[in-house]
Amino acid sequence: MSETTVPATPAASASADPSHSRVLRGRGARIPLGALQIVLGLFYVFASALPKLIAHPSAAESFDKLGWGSTGMYLIGSLELAGGVALLIPLLSSVAAVALSALMVGAFIVNVTVLHGPYVATPLILILPLALIAWARRSHNADLVRLVRRRA
């Protein structure tokens, strides 16, 4: 008696292969992660950097209280603008998330030690999604290094 084998359907092989299920979870996570990057990028550009770059009175008052004046305000605003835009660029998203996290650590320290404002926890809250983006998009770092080395 001859034995006939039937090729497995993609659905059947997907359930048998555990690595394939990880890929499906990864694909399903890309959309919410991308949405998170867009929301955070827009937040940093419009809600955080813009008031500093247009010298909104509330931002100017905070930086005057720090003793950093308009130079510090424009510098921090520029860093936030660059980080917010870089979050929207796939190749730069992980590096941008790490850089913005470092900026948020500094913002937390300044809020706790000098300003004592009502938004002390905000930088810490922002670090959590930034850390998620940095970890999830970490494969882009190797691509970025290869690109920089190729151009150098």
Side-chain angles (χ1 to χ4, degrees):
M1 187 178 244
S2 70
E3 210 172 290
T4 307
T5 59
V6 178
T9 62
S13 63
S15 62
D17 182 14
S19 66
H20 184 71
S21 64
R22 281 195 305 262
V23 171
L24 288 177
R25 276 187 273 149
R27 282 188 198 143
R30 269 190 243 156
I31 292 172
L33 190 62
L36 180 63
Q37 282 179 236
I38 291 169
V39 168
L40 278 177
L42 293 175
F43 169 81
Y44 275 103
V45 168
F46 291 108
S48 193
L50 188 63
K52 294 171 183 79
L53 295 175
I54 64 170
H56 190 273
S58 63
E61 179 183 327
S62 295
F63 280 90
D64 285 341
K65 186 175 181 182
L66 286 171
W68 296 1
S70 60
T71 304
M73 181 177 61
Y74 292 132
L75 177 65
I76 298 295
S78 298
L79 291 172
E80 289 176 342
L81 177 65
V85 170
L87 274 177
L88 304 175
I89 301 170
L91 193 60
L92 300 175
S93 59
S94 180
V95 173
V98 170
L100 285 169
S101 294
L103 196 61
M104 291 301 100
V105 168
F108 174 73
I109 292 169
V110 166
N111 272 311
V112 167
T113 59
V114 179
L115 295 178
H116 310 291
Y119 305 110
V120 172
T122 302
L124 292 180
I125 293 167
L126 289 170
I127 288 174
L128 295 174
L130 288 169
L132 175 67
I133 291 168
W135 180 81
R137 303 292 194 209
R138 68 192 181 280
S139 63
H140 293 301
N141 294 341
D143 299 335
L144 184 60
V145 168
R146 276 193 295 277
L147 180 65
V148 168
R149 285 185 179 163
R150 198 173 343 145
R151 302 233 180 207

